[in-house]
Amino acid sequence: MKLVKVFLLLFFISSLGIAQQKLLEEAFIRASNEGFSGVVLVADQGKILFEKASGMRSYESNTPLQKDDIFEMASVSKQFTAMMIMLCKEKGLLDFDDPVSNYLKIPYKGISIRHLLTHTSGLPDYQAIMDEHWDKSKIAGNPEILEYLRIYAPPILFKPGERYEYSNTGYVLLGSIVEKVSGKDFVVLSKEWIFEPLGMKNTAIRSLDEKSKVRNFAAGHLKDENGNYVNANRFRASDYTLWLGNRKGPGRVSSTAQDLLKWDQALYTNKLISSKTLEEAFSPYRLKDGTRSYYGFGWDIEPKSPFGKMVKHNGDNPGYQTIIVRFIEENKTIIILNNNAHPAMMRLVEAATLSFGRK
């Protein structure tokens, strides 16, 4: 009798899991029918539960998307920049509370590396400055961005540590600090310190020319005036990816869903840094007024999700939307890479979360 009860219980649990996964399957089919183009990967304890691709690698050549295609990560890249800073810290090259002015010449005082990591620096938007003043027939990188910050010195938005305001400028400075303290190129060092040790063979910080030579690079797409998807590079909104094509820190990592899962799982180990240092990345920042800002080092933080503490980050480039969600107390992961700016992405995140069931 006990054996029968155990069998029935196992059958119930199995059926429940199938039903929950069906929710995600149905949500994915619905999104695909609505035109979603991208890859969805869901894992539990590092084991892939769901991995599917839908849509087109290139609409113009009518090339179907594959699960191992490479996408632009956009601001999901920031977690790798933050990791580079943490690696520098563990190598004794810097401390998080060091003044940025110790390493870079900038026209702003009282900003620490921690302020840059947590988006609490108050720095103005570098892209607005470059858009107004830069000669767009040339390609700018971090040295040029820093030079224009010094030349035009737009006012700081608020005193460092007073509040949170998302800052791409801060992550440009972080990339430059890594180069300053290491004496090496940020692109080369990211490969040497992160991508190669973790076996992320399809991940790199690629130039536009390098991307064009990657066979399975999923182009970003937007709709033209006729409602047809075309390469996002045709639109004015994408121009900055050309004339700011050498920037390092706030974006430009390109990767696959499988490589992001390798990255995710490595963060449960000491392969890169100690758990003590990593915990700082997943901790809120206390502002000057005593309140907390729930952005750590390259991660948005949600202390109480359906599965305990959650950290996540999304990215948004012309034609691309990306997200990685990590329920770090339960080792559950959601990765969605989209290359036609489709509105179904967050709906898929919700369906993927429901597919895990409840605690």
Side-chain angles (χ1 to χ4, degrees):
M1 186 57 116
K2 284 183 179 180
L3 190 60
V4 172
K5 287 181 179 179
V6 170
F7 175 78
L8 290 173
L9 178 61
L10 290 173
F11 177 78
F12 172 75
I13 292 171
S14 176
S15 300
L16 187 63
I18 292 170
Q20 288 161 348
Q21 189 152 329
K22 191 177 179 183
L23 290 172
L24 177 54
E25 182 75 41
E26 290 173 349
F28 182 80
I29 292 171
R30 179 186 170 192
S32 299
N33 290 339
E34 292 174 357
F36 172 83
S37 180
V39 175
V40 177
L41 186 154
V42 178
D44 191 354
Q45 311 296 313
K47 180 182 178 182
I48 295 175
L49 303 180
F50 184 95
E51 184 185 19
K52 291 197 174 179
S54 175
M56 293 289 168
R57 177 189 299 162
S58 170
Y59 283 85
E60 291 160 314
S61 65
N62 201 34
T63 306
L65 195 67
Q66 303 296 324
K67 291 185 292 186
D68 60 351
D69 280 355
I70 297 170
F71 289 71
E72 189 66 46
M73 293 293 102
S75 284
V76 169
S77 305
K78 286 183 172 65
Q79 57 204 247
F80 297 106
T81 301
M83 176 57 74
M84 293 294 285
I85 288 289
M86 289 187 280
L87 284 161
C88 286
K89 198 266 187 186
E90 290 213 340
K91 294 175 187 293
L93 301 176
L94 55 77
D95 284 312
F96 298 139
D97 294 309
D98 286 346
V100 173
S101 57
N102 283 7
Y103 305 100
L104 305 174
K105 186 180 178 182
I106 57 171
Y108 308 102
K109 305 298 182 185
I111 299 174
S112 69
I113 291 174
R114 191 183 299 273
H115 289 137
L116 301 182
L117 288 164
T118 58
H119 297 299
T120 56
S121 67
L123 285 167
D125 179 20
Y126 81 89
Q127 193 167 328
I129 301 159
M130 300 300 283
D131 190 28
E132 183 178 355
H133 300 289
W134 180 251
D135 176 359
K136 297 184 178 67
S137 67
K138 301 176 181 178
I139 300 176
N142 290 28
E144 294 78 18
I145 291 168
L146 285 166
E147 180 187 5
Y148 272 50
L149 280 172
R150 289 191 292 267
I151 292 171
Y152 295 100
I156 201 159
L157 304 177
F158 53 85
K159 291 181 180 179
E162 280 191 347
R163 68 175 192 259
Y164 164 92
E165 186 165 326
Y166 194 84
S167 173
N168 282 308
T169 307
Y171 272 72
V172 169
L173 268 59
L174 289 172
S176 294
I177 288 170
V178 170
E179 292 191 328
K180 180 70 174 179
V181 301
S182 68
K184 294 185 178 181
D185 177 70
F186 183 84
V187 173
V188 174
L189 209 56
S190 296
K191 181 179 179 180
E192 181 183 325
W193 283 5
I194 301 177
F195 307 144
E196 284 187 342
L198 299 186
M200 298 172 69
K201 296 180 180 179
N202 293 302
T203 305
I205 300 173
R206 296 175 169 95
S207 67
L208 291 173
D209 184 55
E210 287 170 334
K211 291 176 192 176
S212 69
K213 295 174 182 176
V214 177
R215 177 193 59 80
N216 63 327
F217 202 97
H221 297 88
L222 295 170
K223 286 186 177 180
D224 64 12
E225 65 274 9
N226 299 316
N228 300 314
Y229 282 115
V230 297
N231 194 302
N233 288 341
R234 292 191 183 186
F235 292 82
R236 174 71 178 86
S238 300
D239 285 355
Y240 77 89
T241 63
L242 296 172
W243 51 268
L244 288 174
N246 288 336
R247 68 200 184 286
K248 304 168 188 175
R252 289 188 58 215
V253 172
S254 49
S255 186
T256 65
Q258 297 97 326
D259 270 11
L260 285 183
L261 183 61
K262 291 178 181 178
W263 160 250
D264 161 69
Q265 289 301 293
L267 296 179
Y268 291 103
T269 72
N270 294 324
K271 285 182 181 178
L272 295 178
I273 56 173
S274 68
S275 56
K276 181 181 178 182
T277 300
L278 190 60
E279 182 58 31
E280 292 206 57
F282 302 145
S283 299
Y285 177 81
R286 191 172 292 278
L287 300 169
K288 284 186 174 180
D289 65 1
T291 61
R292 291 181 179 180
S293 170
Y294 285 92
Y295 190 100
F297 297 173
W299 293 94
D300 288 300
I301 304 163
E302 173 53 58
K304 296 180 181 179
S305 78
F307 301 101
K309 190 174 186 179
M310 176 186 79
V311 297
K312 65 180 180 65
H313 211 291
N314 68 297
D316 191 347
N317 264 17
Y320 293 101
Q321 290 185 337
T322 57
I323 193 166
I324 178 170
V325 181
R326 307 180 64 239
F327 299 99
I328 57 178
E329 293 179 12
E330 298 286 319
N331 195 350
K332 300 177 188 295
T333 315
I334 301 167
I335 296 164
I336 300 179
L337 309 178
N338 167 235
N339 70 324
N340 67 343
H342 199 277
M345 190 175 77
M346 292 314 297
R347 221 167 58 222
L348 287 166
V349 171
E350 291 170 6
T353 303
L354 288 173
S355 75
F356 290 129
R358 292 279 176 176
K359 287 177 71 176

